[in-house]
Amino acid sequence: MGFVEIKGQDTAVQILKKSILSSHVSHAYLFQGLEGVGKKTTALALAQALNCLKFDTSLAEACGKCSGCIKVENGNHPDIQMVIPEKYVIKIDQIRSLKGKVYYKCYEGRYKVIILDNAHNLTIEASNSLLKVLEEPPQDTVFILVTSEPGKLTDTIISRCQQIQFQPLSVYTIKELLMKKNPEKLSQISLAAGLAGGSLAKAEELLAEGEVLENRQETINFVKKLFELSFSDIILWCEKWDREKKKVKTILEIIQLWYRDLLVFRTTGREEILINQDLVADIKNSQHTLLNINYALLLINESIKNLEYNVSPRLVLEVFFMKLKIN
């Protein structure tokens, strides 16, 4: 759980290490970034470092072996509290309960650390209650608000926190992390990492579904023969994705990666950086022009945005394929 185990977030980790070594730990942090990029793991690593009994100042790392570190690792350190949404919201009663504890001295460690997971789910009443604590922070207490949607937090709460931005993970980092847990799924990992949009959590979800490669092959085959199909064929194929917003988005992302590979190979000629490694021959033999490829990528971006606006998934897919066909 130490900082050393956090991948792809070097800037965030260095900021936190520096604050510990200089004894300038903020009373409140806002960890913001995509879902599944290591924010909560980093919050726990910070909590562990702040309460390590044998903290290594040369490495700015928790030892991982003392009783404090082990208790944080096991989730039972008395000075670390995790607040999670109840039925999708963090309620005022949860904050009130918190306020009843934070003004007491630490039981064992040097800092009380309060982690609010999915902090954007704070109700207005809970936000106002939390704000009062942040305005007059208890001694030796650190609040860490973890969020993928900072825009839902009030400006007043944001202004009381030191903001730490977490970046989307690289495809390479996601592949490296997935390989440790799923070595038997080598053939699917590259695609899942490419489809994940920088989120390890999304990549793991795609792998767990077990349909990534199956959907990919069917989808790309459909795209490759699109110009031979009638409009009725297109409508028939799209029918099975009616109301399947999540799957339609995955389909569009699969197509996006296909055209991304076409663009990359057409402009660089480098096979090793393609995501669809098992389809290199098809990519090499593609007759698409750069104009066609760029148009397709624009259509895909437009279609994904339409999904976010709650347009019918099936309609989004039908319109996308028809526009692509008549181009």
Side-chain angles (χ1 to χ4, degrees):
M1 192 181 290
F3 288 130
V4 71
E5 296 179 19
I6 297 164
K7 306 297 182 183
Q9 302 297 347
D10 295 349
T11 300
V13 167
Q14 287 306 314
I15 290 171
L16 296 172
K17 283 185 174 183
K18 186 176 179 180
S19 71
I20 297 171
L21 293 175
S22 63
S23 298
H24 287 126
V25 177
S26 176
H27 74 282
Y29 291 98
L30 177 64
F31 287 5
Q32 56 189 11
L34 283 177
E35 193 72 39
V37 295
K39 301 184 298 298
K40 187 162 68 173
T41 303
T42 305
L44 289 168
L46 176 58
Q48 189 180 55
L50 291 173
N51 287 293
C52 176
L53 303 178
K54 299 178 181 179
F55 185 73
D56 187 339
T57 54
S58 64
L59 298 174
E61 281 286 351
C63 72
K65 298 177 181 178
C66 70
S67 60
C69 284
I70 292 170
K71 285 182 179 180
V72 174
E73 193 84 37
N74 293 335
N76 58 8
H77 196 293
D79 297 312
I80 314 298
Q81 184 166 350
M82 180 80 70
V83 179
I84 60 176
E86 295 179 357
K87 295 183 179 178
Y88 305 106
V89 294
I90 297 176
K91 303 173 183 178
I92 188 169
D93 288 345
Q94 291 174 271
I95 303 302
R96 284 174 177 162
S97 174
L98 193 65
K99 289 167 71 175
K101 302 172 184 176
V102 294
Y103 290 100
Y104 292 109
K105 290 183 178 180
C106 295
Y107 289 99
E108 294 181 13
R110 291 173 295 160
Y111 286 88
K112 293 187 294 294
V113 181
I114 314 299
I115 302 170
L116 287 90
D117 194 22
N118 291 317
H120 51 271
N121 288 321
L122 282 158
T123 65
I124 294 297
E125 296 81 4
S127 293
N128 292 336
S129 185
L130 176 63
L131 180 61
K132 292 176 182 177
V133 186
L134 298 182
E135 288 174 336
E136 298 179 13
Q139 188 176 4
D140 300 327
T141 301
V142 176
F143 290 86
I144 307 173
L145 282 67
V146 176
T147 180
S148 57
E149 300 181 64
K152 291 184 177 180
L153 288 165
T154 64
D155 292 340
T156 47
I157 282 188
I158 292 174
S159 68
R160 298 301 191 281
C161 301
Q162 180 180 344
Q163 298 179 51
I164 306 290
Q165 183 66 49
F166 284 71
Q167 302 302 320
L169 299 176
S170 69
V171 171
Y172 175 82
T173 298
I174 294 175
K175 286 170 67 175
E176 182 184 22
L177 293 169
L178 290 177
M179 282 297 296
K180 291 179 180 179
K181 297 180 181 179
N182 306 276
E184 77 285 356
K185 295 185 177 181
L186 176 62
S187 61
Q188 296 187 44
I189 282 174
S190 291
L191 181 61
L195 287 170
S199 168
L200 176 61
K202 182 173 180 180
E204 289 175 332
E205 183 183 335
L206 287 167
L207 277 183
E209 287 176 358
E211 300 175 357
V212 178
L213 276 182
E214 182 182 339
N215 286 344
R216 190 279 306 254
Q217 193 61 61
E218 179 188 347
T219 299
I220 290 176
N221 286 341
F222 187 79
V223 171
K224 284 165 61 179
K225 64 179 183 180
L226 183 65
F227 300 101
E228 304 168 13
L229 301 174
S230 66
F231 288 120
S232 58
D233 291 330
I234 293 171
I235 291 170
L236 187 63
W237 193 81
C238 293
E239 273 183 2
K240 60 183 173 180
W241 308 113
D242 193 24
R243 300 178 185 175
E244 295 278 3
K245 180 177 179 179
K246 189 175 177 182
K247 289 184 178 180
V248 167
K249 186 177 182 185
T250 299
I251 287 169
L252 289 168
E253 289 170 340
I254 287 170
I255 300 170
Q256 188 175 47
L257 288 184
W258 169 253
Y259 278 100
R260 174 262 184 202
D261 278 355
L262 292 178
L263 180 63
V264 167
F265 185 77
R266 184 59 58 85
T267 54
T268 69
R270 294 175 58 189
E271 297 178 24
E272 72 276 10
I273 56 177
L274 301 179
I275 290 172
N276 294 281
Q277 282 290 321
D278 57 329
L279 298 176
V280 169
D282 289 334
I283 292 166
K284 281 183 170 183
N285 295 328
S286 169
Q287 299 301 309
H288 284 287
T289 65
L290 283 177
L291 190 63
N292 294 149
I293 295 168
N294 285 320
Y295 177 71
L297 289 170
L298 285 172
L299 279 182
I300 293 165
N301 288 333
E302 176 187 287
S303 299
I304 290 174
K305 284 181 181 178
N306 286 336
L307 279 179
E308 293 170 0
Y309 293 137
N310 289 323
V311 178
S312 160
R314 173 183 165 185
L315 180 60
V316 167
L317 211 52
E318 288 176 355
V319 171
F320 165 73
F321 282 126
M322 289 183 182
K323 282 186 176 180
L324 191 61
K325 178 177 173 61
I326 63 176
N327 176 45

